[in-house]
Coordinates of all heavy atoms in Angstrom, one line a residue:
M1 N -48.2 47.2 35.6 CA -46.9 47.2 36.4 C -47.3 47.4 37.9 O -48.1 48.3 38.2 CB -46.0 48.2 35.9 CG -44.6 48.0 36.4 SD -43.3 49.1 35.8 CE -43.7 49.5 34.2
Q2 N -46.6 46.7 38.8 CA -47.0 46.8 40.2 C -46.6 48.1 40.8 O -47.2 48.7 41.7 CB -46.3 45.7 41.0 CG -46.8 44.3 40.6 CD -46.0 43.2 41.4 OE1 -44.9 43.5 41.9 NE2 -46.5 42.0 41.3
G3 N -45.5 48.7 40.4 CA -45.0 50.0 40.9 C -44.5 50.9 39.8 O -44.3 50.4 38.7
M4 N -44.3 52.1 40.1 CA -43.8 53.0 39.1 C -42.3 53.2 39.2 O -41.8 53.5 40.2 CB -44.5 54.4 39.3 CG -46.0 54.4 39.1 SD -46.5 53.8 37.5 CE -45.9 55.1 36.4
V5 N -41.6 53.0 38.1 CA -40.2 53.3 38.0 C -40.0 54.8 37.8 O -40.7 55.4 37.0 CB -39.6 52.5 36.8 CG1 -38.1 52.8 36.6 CG2 -39.8 51.0 37.0
E6 N -39.2 55.3 38.6 CA -39.0 56.8 38.6 C -37.7 57.2 37.8 O -36.8 56.3 37.6 CB -38.8 57.3 40.0 CG -40.1 57.0 40.9 CD -39.9 57.5 42.3 OE1 -38.7 57.4 42.8 OE2 -40.9 57.8 42.9
N7 N -37.6 58.4 37.5 CA -36.4 59.0 36.8 C -36.0 58.3 35.6 O -34.8 58.1 35.4 CB -35.3 59.0 37.9 CG -35.7 59.7 39.1 OD1 -36.3 60.8 39.1 ND2 -35.3 59.2 40.3
K8 N -36.9 57.8 34.8 CA -36.5 57.1 33.5 C -35.8 58.1 32.6 O -36.3 59.2 32.4 CB -37.8 56.6 32.8 CG -38.3 55.4 33.5 CD -39.5 54.8 32.6 CE -40.2 53.7 33.2 NZ -41.4 53.3 32.4
V9 N -34.7 57.7 32.0 CA -34.0 58.5 31.1 C -33.3 57.5 30.1 O -32.7 56.5 30.5 CB -33.0 59.4 31.8 CG1 -32.0 58.7 32.6 CG2 -32.4 60.4 30.8
Q10 N -33.3 57.9 28.8 CA -32.6 57.1 27.8 C -31.2 57.6 27.8 O -30.9 58.8 27.5 CB -33.2 57.1 26.5 CG -32.6 56.2 25.5 CD -33.4 55.9 24.2 OE1 -34.6 56.3 24.2 NE2 -32.8 55.2 23.3
T11 N -30.2 56.8 28.1 CA -28.8 57.2 28.2 C -28.0 56.9 27.0 O -26.9 57.4 26.9 CB -28.2 56.5 29.5 OG1 -28.2 55.1 29.4 CG2 -28.9 57.0 30.7
E12 N -28.4 56.0 26.1 CA -27.7 55.7 24.9 C -28.7 55.5 23.7 O -29.8 54.9 24.0 CB -26.9 54.4 25.0 CG -25.6 54.5 25.8 CD -24.8 53.2 25.7 OE1 -24.6 52.7 24.6 OE2 -24.4 52.8 26.8
T13 N -28.3 55.9 22.5 CA -29.0 55.5 21.3 C -28.0 55.1 20.3 O -26.8 55.5 20.4 CB -29.9 56.7 20.8 OG1 -29.0 57.8 20.6 CG2 -31.0 57.1 21.8
G14 N -28.4 54.4 19.3 CA -27.5 53.9 18.3 C -27.7 52.5 18.1 O -28.8 52.0 18.3
P15 N -26.7 51.7 17.8 CA -26.8 50.3 17.8 C -27.3 49.7 19.1 O -28.0 48.7 19.1 CB -25.4 49.7 17.4 CG -24.6 50.9 17.0 CD -25.3 52.1 17.6
R16 N -27.0 50.3 20.2 CA -27.3 49.9 21.5 C -28.2 51.0 22.1 O -27.7 52.1 22.2 CB -26.0 49.6 22.3 CG -26.2 49.3 23.7 CD -24.8 49.2 24.3 NE -24.7 49.7 25.6 CZ -24.5 49.0 26.7 NH1 -24.4 47.7 26.7 NH2 -24.5 49.6 27.9
H17 N -29.4 50.7 22.5 CA -30.3 51.6 23.2 C -30.4 51.3 24.6 O -30.7 50.1 25.0 CB -31.7 51.6 22.5 CG -31.7 52.0 21.1 ND1 -31.9 53.2 20.6 CD2 -31.4 51.2 20.0 CE1 -31.8 53.3 19.3 NE2 -31.5 52.0 18.9
V18 N -30.2 52.3 25.5 CA -30.2 52.0 27.0 C -31.2 53.0 27.6 O -31.1 54.2 27.4 CB -28.8 52.1 27.6 CG1 -28.8 51.9 29.1 CG2 -27.8 51.2 26.9
M19 N -32.0 52.5 28.5 CA -32.9 53.3 29.3 C -32.7 52.8 30.7 O -32.6 51.6 31.0 CB -34.4 53.3 28.9 CG -35.2 54.2 29.7 SD -36.9 54.3 29.1 CE -36.7 55.5 27.8
Q20 N -32.6 53.8 31.7 CA -32.5 53.4 33.1 C -33.5 54.2 33.9 O -34.0 55.3 33.5 CB -31.1 53.6 33.6 CG -30.6 55.0 33.5 CD -29.1 55.1 34.0 OE1 -28.4 54.1 33.9 NE2 -28.7 56.2 34.4
G21 N -33.8 53.7 35.1 CA -34.7 54.3 36.0 C -34.5 53.7 37.4 O -33.7 52.8 37.5
T22 N -35.2 54.2 38.4 CA -35.0 53.7 39.8 C -36.3 53.2 40.3 O -37.4 53.7 40.0 CB -34.4 54.8 40.7 OG1 -35.3 56.0 40.7 CG2 -33.0 55.2 40.3
Y23 N -36.1 52.2 41.1 CA -37.3 51.6 41.8 C -36.8 51.0 43.1 O -35.9 50.2 43.1 CB -38.0 50.5 40.9 CG -39.2 49.9 41.5 CD1 -40.4 50.7 41.6 CD2 -39.2 48.7 42.1 CE1 -41.5 50.2 42.2 CE2 -40.4 48.1 42.7 CZ -41.5 48.9 42.7 OH -42.6 48.4 43.3
L24 N -37.5 51.3 44.2 CA -37.1 50.8 45.6 C -35.6 50.9 45.9 O -35.0 50.0 46.4 CB -37.5 49.3 45.7 CG -39.0 49.0 45.6 CD1 -39.3 47.5 45.8 CD2 -39.8 49.8 46.7
G25 N -35.0 52.0 45.4 CA -33.6 52.3 45.7 C -32.6 51.6 44.8 O -31.4 51.7 45.0
S26 N -33.1 50.8 43.8 CA -32.3 50.1 42.9 C -32.4 50.8 41.5 O -33.4 51.3 41.1 CB -32.7 48.7 42.7 OG -32.5 48.0 44.0
R27 N -31.2 50.8 40.8 CA -31.2 51.4 39.4 C -31.5 50.2 38.5 O -30.7 49.2 38.5 CB -29.9 52.1 39.1 CG -29.9 52.7 37.7 CD -28.7 53.6 37.6 NE -27.4 52.9 37.9 CZ -26.6 52.2 37.0 NH1 -27.0 52.1 35.8 NH2 -25.5 51.7 37.4
I28 N -32.5 50.4 37.6 CA -32.8 49.4 36.6 C -32.2 49.9 35.3 O -32.4 51.1 34.9 CB -34.3 49.2 36.5 CG1 -34.9 48.7 37.8 CG2 -34.6 48.2 35.3 CD1 -36.4 48.7 37.9
E29 N -31.6 49.0 34.5 CA -31.1 49.3 33.2 C -31.6 48.3 32.2 O -31.4 47.1 32.4 CB -29.5 49.3 33.3 CG -28.8 49.8 32.1 CD -27.3 49.9 32.3 OE1 -26.8 48.9 32.9 OE2 -26.8 50.9 32.0
V30 N -32.2 48.8 31.2 CA -32.7 47.9 30.1 C -31.9 48.3 28.8 O -31.8 49.5 28.4 CB -34.2 48.1 29.8 CG1 -34.7 47.2 28.7 CG2 -35.0 47.9 31.1
V31 N -31.3 47.3 28.2 CA -30.4 47.5 27.1 C -31.0 46.7 25.9 O -31.3 45.5 26.0 CB -29.0 47.0 27.3 CG1 -28.1 47.2 26.1 CG2 -28.4 47.6 28.6
A32 N -31.3 47.4 24.8 CA -31.9 46.7 23.6 C -31.2 47.1 22.4 O -30.5 48.1 22.3 CB -33.4 47.2 23.5
G33 N -31.3 46.2 21.4 CA -30.7 46.5 20.1 C -31.6 45.8 19.0 O -32.2 44.8 19.2
Y34 N -31.7 46.4 17.8 CA -32.5 45.9 16.7 C -31.8 44.7 16.1 O -30.6 44.8 15.7 CB -32.8 47.0 15.7 CG -33.6 46.5 14.6 CD1 -35.0 46.2 14.8 CD2 -33.1 46.4 13.3 CE1 -35.8 45.8 13.8 CE2 -33.9 45.9 12.3 CZ -35.2 45.6 12.5 OH -36.0 45.2 11.5
D35 N -32.5 43.6 15.8 CA -32.0 42.5 15.1 C -32.7 42.4 13.8 O -33.8 42.1 13.6 CB -32.3 41.2 15.9 CG -31.8 39.9 15.2 OD1 -31.1 40.0 14.2 OD2 -32.1 38.8 15.7
I36 N -31.9 42.7 12.7 CA -32.4 42.8 11.4 C -32.9 41.5 10.9 O -33.9 41.4 10.1 CB -31.4 43.5 10.4 CG1 -32.1 43.9 9.1 CG2 -30.2 42.6 10.2 CD1 -31.3 44.7 8.2
L37 N -32.3 40.4 11.3 CA -32.6 39.0 10.8 C -34.0 38.6 11.3 O -34.7 37.9 10.6 CB -31.6 38.0 11.2 CG -30.2 38.3 10.6 CD1 -29.2 37.2 11.1 CD2 -30.2 38.2 9.1
S38 N -34.4 39.0 12.5 CA -35.7 38.6 13.1 C -36.7 39.7 13.1 O -37.8 39.5 13.5 CB -35.5 38.0 14.5 OG -35.0 39.0 15.4
D39 N -36.2 40.9 12.7 CA -37.1 42.1 12.7 C -37.7 42.3 14.1 O -38.9 42.4 14.3 CB -38.2 42.1 11.7 CG -38.9 43.4 11.5 OD1 -38.4 44.4 11.9 OD2 -40.1 43.3 11.1
S40 N -36.8 42.2 15.2 CA -37.3 42.3 16.5 C -36.2 43.0 17.4 O -35.1 43.4 16.9 CB -37.5 40.9 17.1 OG -36.3 40.2 17.1
W41 N -36.5 43.2 18.6 CA -35.7 44.0 19.6 C -35.3 43.1 20.8 O -36.0 43.1 21.8 CB -36.4 45.2 20.1 CG -36.6 46.2 19.0 CD1 -37.6 46.3 18.1 CD2 -35.7 47.3 18.7 NE1 -37.3 47.4 17.2 CE2 -36.2 48.0 17.6 CE3 -34.5 47.8 19.3 CZ2 -35.6 49.1 17.1 CZ3 -33.9 48.9 18.8 CH2 -34.5 49.6 17.6
P42 N -34.2 42.3 20.7 CA -33.8 41.6 21.9 C -33.3 42.6 22.9 O -32.8 43.6 22.6 CB -32.6 40.8 21.4 CG -32.7 40.8 19.9 CD -33.4 42.1 19.5
F43 N -33.5 42.2 24.2 CA -33.1 43.1 25.3 C -32.6 42.4 26.5 O -32.9 41.2 26.7 CB -34.2 44.1 25.6 CG -35.5 43.5 26.2 CD1 -35.7 43.4 27.6 CD2 -36.5 43.0 25.3 CE1 -36.9 42.8 28.1 CE2 -37.6 42.4 25.8 CZ -37.8 42.3 27.2
H44 N -31.8 43.1 27.3 CA -31.2 42.6 28.5 C -31.7 43.5 29.6 O -32.0 44.7 29.4 CB -29.7 42.6 28.5 CG -29.1 41.7 27.5 ND1 -28.8 40.3 27.8 CD2 -28.7 41.8 26.2 CE1 -28.3 39.7 26.8 NE2 -28.2 40.6 25.8
I45 N -31.7 42.9 30.9 CA -32.2 43.7 32.0 C -31.1 43.5 33.1 O -30.7 42.4 33.5 CB -33.5 43.2 32.6 CG1 -34.6 43.1 31.4 CG2 -34.0 44.0 33.7 CD1 -35.7 42.1 31.7
Y46 N -30.7 44.7 33.7 CA -29.8 44.7 34.8 C -30.4 45.5 35.9 O -31.0 46.5 35.7 CB -28.4 45.4 34.4 CG -27.8 44.7 33.2 CD1 -28.0 45.1 31.9 CD2 -26.9 43.6 33.4 CE1 -27.4 44.5 30.8 CE2 -26.3 43.0 32.3 CZ -26.5 43.5 31.0 OH -25.9 42.8 30.0
V47 N -30.2 44.9 37.2 CA -30.7 45.6 38.4 C -29.5 45.9 39.2 O -28.8 44.9 39.6 CB -31.7 44.8 39.1 CG1 -32.1 45.5 40.4 CG2 -33.0 44.5 38.3
H48 N -29.2 47.2 39.4 CA -28.0 47.6 40.2 C -28.5 47.9 41.6 O -29.2 49.0 41.8 CB -27.3 48.8 39.6 CG -26.9 48.5 38.2 ND1 -25.7 47.9 37.8 CD2 -27.5 48.8 37.0 CE1 -25.6 47.8 36.5 NE2 -26.7 48.4 36.0
H49 N -28.3 47.0 42.6 CA -28.8 47.2 43.9 C -28.0 48.3 44.7 O -26.8 48.5 44.4 CB -28.7 45.9 44.7 CG -29.5 44.8 44.0 ND1 -30.8 44.6 44.0 CD2 -29.0 43.7 43.2 CE1 -31.2 43.5 43.3 NE2 -30.1 43.0 42.8
S50 N -28.6 48.9 45.7 CA -28.0 49.9 46.5 C -26.8 49.3 47.2 O -25.9 50.0 47.6 CB -28.9 50.5 47.4 OG -29.5 49.6 48.3
S51 N -26.7 48.0 47.4 CA -25.6 47.3 48.1 C -24.4 47.3 47.2 O -23.3 46.9 47.7 CB -26.0 45.9 48.5 OG -26.2 45.1 47.3
G52 N -24.5 47.6 45.9 CA -23.4 47.6 45.0 C -23.4 46.3 44.1 O -22.6 46.2 43.1
Q53 N -24.3 45.4 44.4 CA -24.4 44.2 43.6 C -25.2 44.4 42.3 O -26.1 45.3 42.4 CB -25.0 43.0 44.4 CG -24.1 42.5 45.5 CD -24.8 41.3 46.2 OE1 -25.9 41.4 46.6 NE2 -24.1 40.2 46.3
T54 N -25.0 43.7 41.3 CA -25.8 43.8 40.0 C -26.3 42.4 39.7 O -25.6 41.4 39.8 CB -24.9 44.3 38.9 OG1 -24.4 45.6 39.2 CG2 -25.7 44.3 37.6
S55 N -27.6 42.4 39.4 CA -28.3 41.2 39.0 C -28.6 41.3 37.5 O -29.2 42.3 37.1 CB -29.6 41.0 39.8 OG -29.4 40.8 41.1
R56 N -28.2 40.3 36.7 CA -28.6 40.3 35.3 C -29.8 39.3 35.2 O -29.7 38.2 35.6 CB -27.5 39.8 34.4 CG -27.9 39.8 32.9 CD -26.8 39.4 32.0 NE -26.5 38.0 32.3 CZ -25.3 37.5 32.2 NH1 -24.2 38.2 31.9 NH2 -25.1 36.2 32.4
L57 N -31.0 39.8 34.7 CA -32.2 39.1 34.7 C -32.3 38.3 33.4 O -33.3 37.5 33.3 CB -33.4 40.0 34.9 CG -33.4 40.8 36.2 CD1 -34.7 41.5 36.4 CD2 -33.0 40.0 37.4
S58 N -31.5 38.6 32.4 CA -31.6 37.9 31.1 C -30.5 37.0 30.9 O -29.4 37.1 31.5 CB -31.7 39.0 30.0 OG -30.7 39.9 30.2
Q59 N -30.7 36.0 30.0 CA -29.6 35.0 29.7 C -28.7 35.6 28.6 O -29.0 36.6 28.0 CB -30.3 33.8 29.1 CG -31.3 33.1 30.0 CD -30.6 32.6 31.3 OE1 -29.6 32.0 31.2 NE2 -31.3 32.8 32.4
V60 N -27.6 34.9 28.3 CA -26.7 35.3 27.2 C -26.6 34.1 26.3 O -26.2 33.1 26.7 CB -25.3 35.7 27.7 CG1 -24.4 36.0 26.5 CG2 -25.4 36.9 28.6
P61 N -27.1 34.1 25.0 CA -27.9 35.2 24.5 C -29.2 35.4 25.1 O -29.7 34.4 25.7 CB -28.0 34.9 23.0 CG -27.9 33.4 23.0 CD -27.0 33.0 24.1
T62 N -29.8 36.6 25.0 CA -31.0 36.9 25.7 C -32.2 36.1 25.2 O -32.3 35.8 24.0 CB -31.3 38.4 25.7 OG1 -32.5 38.6 26.5 CG2 -31.6 38.8 24.2
N63 N -33.1 35.8 26.1 CA -34.4 35.1 25.7 C -35.5 36.1 25.7 O -36.6 35.7 25.5 CB -34.7 33.9 26.7 CG -34.6 34.3 28.1 OD1 -34.0 35.3 28.5 ND2 -35.2 33.5 29.0
Y64 N -35.2 37.4 26.0 CA -36.2 38.4 26.0 C -36.2 39.1 24.6 O -35.2 39.6 24.2 CB -36.0 39.5 27.1 CG -36.2 38.9 28.5 CD1 -35.2 39.2 29.4 CD2 -37.3 38.1 28.8 CE1 -35.4 38.7 30.7 CE2 -37.4 37.6 30.1 CZ -36.5 37.9 31.0 OH -36.6 37.4 32.3
V65 N -37.4 39.2 23.9 CA -37.5 39.8 22.6 C -38.8 40.6 22.6 O -39.8 40.1 23.0 CB -37.4 38.7 21.5 CG1 -37.6 39.4 20.1 CG2 -36.1 37.9 21.6
A66 N -38.7 41.8 22.0 CA -39.9 42.6 21.9 C -40.1 43.0 20.4 O -39.2 42.9 19.6 CB -39.8 43.8 22.7
E67 N -41.3 43.5 20.1 CA -41.6 43.9 18.7 C -41.2 45.3 18.4 O -41.2 45.7 17.2 CB -43.1 43.7 18.5 CG -43.6 42.3 18.5 CD -45.0 42.1 18.2 OE1 -45.7 43.1 17.9 OE2 -45.5 41.0 18.2
S68 N -40.9 46.1 19.4 CA -40.5 47.5 19.2 C -39.6 47.9 20.4 O -39.5 47.2 21.4 CB -41.7 48.4 19.2 OG -42.3 48.5 20.5
L69 N -38.9 49.0 20.2 CA -38.0 49.5 21.2 C -38.7 49.9 22.4 O -38.4 49.6 23.6 CB -37.2 50.7 20.7 CG -36.2 51.3 21.6 CD1 -35.2 50.3 22.2 CD2 -35.5 52.5 21.0
D70 N -39.9 50.6 22.3 CA -40.7 51.0 23.4 C -41.2 49.8 24.2 O -41.2 49.8 25.4 CB -41.9 51.9 23.0 CG -41.5 53.3 22.5 OD1 -40.4 53.7 22.9 OD2 -42.2 53.9 21.8
S71 N -41.6 48.8 23.5 CA -42.0 47.5 24.1 C -40.9 46.9 24.9 O -41.1 46.3 26.0 CB -42.6 46.6 23.1 OG -43.1 45.4 23.7
A72 N -39.7 46.9 24.3 CA -38.6 46.3 25.0 C -38.3 47.0 26.3 O -38.1 46.4 27.4 CB -37.3 46.3 24.1
F73 N -38.3 48.3 26.3 CA -38.1 49.1 27.5 C -39.3 48.8 28.5 O -39.0 48.6 29.7 CB -38.1 50.6 27.2 CG -36.8 51.0 26.6 CD1 -36.8 52.1 25.7 CD2 -35.6 50.4 26.8 CE1 -35.6 52.6 25.1 CE2 -34.4 50.8 26.2 CZ -34.4 51.9 25.3
D74 N -40.5 48.8 28.1 CA -41.6 48.6 29.0 C -41.6 47.2 29.6 O -41.7 47.1 30.8 CB -43.0 48.8 28.2 CG -43.3 50.2 27.8 OD1 -42.6 51.1 28.4 OD2 -44.2 50.4 27.0
Q75 N -41.3 46.2 28.8 CA -41.2 44.8 29.3 C -40.1 44.7 30.3 O -40.2 44.0 31.3 CB -41.1 43.8 28.2 CG -42.3 43.6 27.4 CD -42.1 42.6 26.2 OE1 -41.6 41.5 26.5 NE2 -42.4 43.0 25.0
G76 N -38.9 45.3 29.9 CA -37.8 45.2 30.8 C -38.0 45.8 32.2 O -37.7 45.2 33.2
F77 N -38.6 47.0 32.2 CA -38.9 47.6 33.5 C -39.9 46.8 34.3 O -39.8 46.6 35.5 CB -39.4 49.0 33.3 CG -38.3 50.0 33.0 CD1 -38.3 50.7 31.8 CD2 -37.2 50.2 33.9 CE1 -37.3 51.6 31.5 CE2 -36.2 51.1 33.6 CZ -36.2 51.8 32.4
E78 N -40.9 46.2 33.6 CA -41.9 45.4 34.2 C -41.3 44.2 34.9 O -41.6 43.8 36.0 CB -43.0 45.0 33.2 CG -44.1 44.2 33.9 CD -45.3 43.9 32.9 OE1 -45.4 44.6 31.9 OE2 -46.0 43.0 33.2
F79 N -40.4 43.5 34.1 CA -39.8 42.3 34.7 C -38.9 42.6 35.9 O -38.8 41.9 36.9 CB -38.9 41.6 33.6 CG -39.7 41.0 32.5 CD1 -39.2 40.9 31.2 CD2 -41.0 40.5 32.7 CE1 -39.9 40.3 30.2 CE2 -41.7 39.9 31.7 CZ -41.2 39.8 30.4
A80 N -38.2 43.8 35.8 CA -37.3 44.2 36.9 C -38.1 44.5 38.2 O -37.8 44.2 39.3 CB -36.5 45.4 36.5
V81 N -39.3 45.2 38.0 CA -40.2 45.5 39.2 C -40.7 44.2 39.8 O -40.7 44.0 41.0 CB -41.3 46.4 38.7 CG1 -42.4 46.4 39.8 CG2 -40.8 47.8 38.4
Q82 N -41.0 43.2 38.9 CA -41.5 41.9 39.5 C -40.3 41.2 40.2 O -40.6 40.7 41.3 CB -41.9 41.0 38.3 CG -43.2 41.4 37.7 CD -43.6 40.6 36.4 OE1 -42.9 39.7 36.1 NE2 -44.7 41.0 35.8
F83 N -39.1 41.3 39.7 CA -38.0 40.7 40.4 C -37.8 41.4 41.8 O -37.5 40.7 42.8 CB -36.7 40.9 39.5 CG -35.4 40.6 40.2 CD1 -35.1 39.2 40.3 CD2 -34.6 41.6 40.6 CE1 -33.9 38.9 40.9 CE2 -33.4 41.2 41.2 CZ -33.0 39.9 41.4
L84 N -37.8 42.8 41.8 CA -37.6 43.5 43.0 C -38.7 43.3 44.1 O -38.4 43.5 45.2 CB -37.3 45.0 42.7 CG -36.0 45.3 42.0 CD1 -36.0 46.7 41.5 CD2 -34.9 45.1 43.0
T85 N -39.9 43.0 43.6 CA -41.0 42.9 44.6 C -41.3 41.5 45.0 O -42.2 41.2 45.8 CB -42.3 43.6 44.0 OG1 -42.6 43.0 42.8 CG2 -42.1 45.1 43.9
S86 N -40.6 40.5 44.4 CA -40.9 39.1 44.8 C -40.1 38.8 46.1 O -38.9 39.2 46.2 CB -40.5 38.1 43.7 OG -39.1 38.0 43.6
P87 N -40.7 38.2 47.0 CA -40.1 38.0 48.4 C -38.8 37.2 48.3 O -37.9 37.5 49.0 CB -41.1 37.2 49.1 CG -42.4 37.4 48.4 CD -42.1 37.7 47.0
A88 N -38.7 36.2 47.4 CA -37.5 35.4 47.4 C -36.3 36.2 46.8 O -35.1 35.8 47.1 CB -37.7 34.2 46.5
D89 N -36.5 37.2 46.0 CA -35.4 37.9 45.3 C -35.1 39.3 45.8 O -34.3 40.0 45.3 CB -35.7 38.0 43.8 CG -35.7 36.6 43.1 OD1 -34.9 35.8 43.5 OD2 -36.6 36.4 42.3
A90 N -35.8 39.7 46.9 CA -35.6 41.0 47.4 C -34.1 41.2 47.9 O -33.6 40.3 48.5 CB -36.5 41.3 48.6
P91 N -33.5 42.3 47.5 CA -32.1 42.5 47.8 C -31.9 42.7 49.3 O -32.7 43.0 50.1 CB -31.7 43.7 47.1 CG -32.9 44.4 46.7 CD -34.0 43.4 46.8

């Protein structure tokens, strides 16, 4: 990962698992849930910018899928950091 996401905390558990952290002044939120049919963890990524805007980095339904909850969180934060550090998408 290019940078370190700070203040990571899991804010929800249950059917919906949510972990959030901060990077470059933006709050990143990764939301995952277990899919019994595919035995995988689809996840969504939201970036809440300091300007008040929110960017959703995943499609509906999501195209991001991981093999475990930890992997979903790790990949979600990694994609968000890439989004925030790419020159074209900087808030």
Side-chain angles (χ1 to χ4, degrees):
M1 194 178 325
Q2 294 176 348
M4 296 302 292
V5 176
E6 300 176 328
N7 306 316
K8 284 185 187 177
V9 62
Q10 189 165 349
T11 58
E12 283 186 49
T13 57
R16 175 181 140 113
H17 298 266
V18 180
M19 184 174 279
Q20 63 183 23
T22 56
Y23 183 75
L24 296 179
S26 295
R27 181 171 52 92
I28 300 167
E29 187 175 46
V30 181
V31 180
Y34 181 70
D35 179 7
I36 194 168
L37 297 176
S38 65
D39 189 26
S40 64
W41 291 85
F43 62 96
H44 293 274
I45 308 158
Y46 301 92
V47 176
H48 304 277
H49 304 282
S50 57
S51 65
Q53 291 183 309
T54 298
S55 299
R56 184 178 65 215
L57 306 187
S58 47
Q59 303 295 318
V60 176
T62 185
N63 52 339
Y64 295 133
V65 179
E67 293 182 4
S68 70
L69 179 58
D70 287 339
S71 180
F73 287 150
D74 290 345
Q75 289 179 51
F77 284 119
E78 184 176 339
F79 294 150
V81 167
Q82 289 173 2
F83 171 78
L84 288 167
T85 56
S86 77
D89 296 322

